[in-house]
Amino acid sequence: MDFKRFPSADDLLVLLTVARLGRFTAVANALETTHTTVSRRILALDKQLGGRTLERTPQGWELTDLGRAAVAAAEGIETNLSSLATGVEQRMDPVSGMVRVSASDGFGALVATPALVKLQRRHPMLRVELLSATRRLSRNRSGVDLEVVAGSVDAGRAEVIFLSDYTLRLYAGTGYAQEHGLPETGEGLKDHRFISYVESTLQVAELAQQHHRLTSEPAEFQATSVFAQIEAVRANAGIAMLPAFMADGQEGLVRVLPGEISQTVQFWAAARPESLRSPAVQAVVAAFLQEARRRRGQLVTD
């Protein structure tokens, strides 16, 4: 058999990683190599196959028809190598390797983190990088295997999975309530100070729209982190619309207009199709779904 006719298995696995992450720099970080090496590997694969496997788009690198065929072969190699390792070692867990997840502060800390820790206990070879970002679904999904976003999603080529609804409610600090009193109607909110996201950076339309329904003025205290907003409320800086699963029962916080104002938003998971075929990414999504179901009473409140 003339093995020189076959493309390099290493190059095919590099292409598989590009298909999952979308950017050469992210692939270089994942494989602990350089951007130049990744580019060289892809060029060598294209030469061996006699055509381009990738094309550049505004959403990052996307597979051509030839590239999709090559990725299918690469996934077979990945599976067979895992099977080989199973025979050599006592047992090779398919839920292993690195998974990179991007999620909002609240979901990341209170849902994703406990879910991932439980998953790692069952699969010790799984490594995780959790990045915090409150934003709309990224068009290039650069550098992550899985994104968790709030609000409506324009998926493009990504596959999306509904995780859970969650409730937003108004809260104030106990000291603020004692000093300024609490409004008895929505109209009374115009006389109060507000805490919210930094408007110039906020990408989630549902979160921006809710603030402007309450007041036409920008919030006096703005922060990109919902944890900073909670602490600002606790420090009596004003009133904020906060996730109930993060604020309910917190010392120093009281609900404002509890029977009148609330909002329901959704959490979605999104990933490239190539990423979702990874057993490790599938396990992470399943863990998020399980944790979200377990916490549904906290995420969605009456």
Side-chain angles (χ1 to χ4, degrees), residues 240-256:
M241 197 78 172
L242 300 171
F245 72 93
M246 301 181 70
D248 271 359
Q250 288 286 319
E251 183 179 357
L253 303 187
V254 294
R255 279 191 184 182
V256 178

Side-chain angles (χ1 to χ4, degrees), residues 14-270:
V14 169
L15 177 66
L16 177 58
T17 310
V18 174
R20 288 173 174 171
L21 297 181
R23 298 283 179 183
F24 283 3
T25 50
V27 173
N29 290 334
L31 300 180
E32 298 181 349
T33 185
T34 65
H35 179 286
T36 302
T37 299
V38 173
S39 179
R40 179 170 53 80
R41 292 279 199 176
I42 296 300
L43 287 173
L45 181 62
D46 288 353
K47 182 178 180 181
Q48 185 71 37
L49 295 175
R52 292 180 62 83
T53 55
L54 294 168
E55 59 183 3
R56 188 189 292 274
T57 74
Q59 291 76 46
W61 290 105
E62 300 290 353
L63 295 168
T64 63
D65 289 341
L66 178 61
R68 280 187 281 274
V71 161
E75 289 173 332
I77 291 171
E78 183 181 49
T79 300
N80 289 331
L81 287 176
S82 296
S83 297
L84 175 63
T86 303
V88 173
E89 300 176 5
Q90 289 187 347
R91 183 175 183 272
M92 181 67 177
D93 189 345
V95 181
S96 60
M98 174 68 77
V99 175
R100 292 168 176 80
V101 180
S102 171
S104 63
D105 278 350
F107 187 95
L110 301 183
V111 181
T113 294
L116 290 168
V117 169
K118 292 173 189 174
L119 186 63
Q120 284 183 309
R121 287 186 185 135
R122 299 195 300 272
H123 304 281
M125 297 301 292
L126 177 67
R127 293 184 297 147
V128 173
E129 288 184 358
L130 180 59
L131 311 176
S132 294
T134 302
R135 63 187 186 189
R136 63 176 177 266
L137 182 63
S138 170
R139 279 294 190 172
N140 57 41
R141 293 171 293 285
S142 174
V144 297
D145 297 288
L146 185 70
E147 280 188 283
V148 177
V149 296
S152 56
V153 292
D154 178 11
R157 194 175 159 268
E159 294 186 16
V160 296
I161 300 163
F162 173 74
L163 296 177
S164 178
D165 291 321
Y166 73 101
T167 305
L168 293 161
R169 295 189 180 279
L170 283 175
Y171 297 86
T174 52
Y176 182 92
Q178 291 169 3
E179 182 177 353
H180 301 281
L182 295 179
E184 297 181 358
T185 66
E187 179 66 21
L189 287 169
K190 63 182 176 58
D191 299 321
H192 289 268
R193 295 173 62 84
F194 280 89
I195 299 159
S196 188
Y197 286 95
V198 177
E199 290 190 12
S200 61
T201 64
L202 184 59
Q203 299 181 6
V204 180
E206 287 83 351
L207 301 182
Q209 290 166 359
Q210 182 61 58
H211 174 75
H212 291 298
R213 289 193 191 103
L214 301 175
T215 175
S216 59
E217 299 297 323
E220 284 79 5
F221 185 99
Q222 300 180 21
T224 58
S225 167
V226 69
F227 288 106
Q229 294 174 42
I230 290 173
E231 292 309 310
V233 173
R234 201 192 311 275
N236 305 309
I239 295 172
M241 197 78 172
L242 300 171
F245 72 93
M246 301 181 70
D248 271 359
Q250 288 286 319
E251 183 179 357
L253 303 187
V254 294
R255 279 191 184 182
V256 178
L257 299 173
E260 186 171 338
I261 295 178
S262 66
Q263 181 183 10
T264 300
V265 184
Q266 293 75 40
F267 283 125
W268 299 85

Side-chain angles (χ1 to χ4, degrees), residues 269-291:
R272 290 169 172 257
E274 296 82 14
S275 288
L276 281 177
R277 289 199 290 268
S278 162
V281 174
Q282 292 172 9
V284 168
V285 172
F288 287 173
L289 284 167
Q290 183 178 22
E291 189 69 17

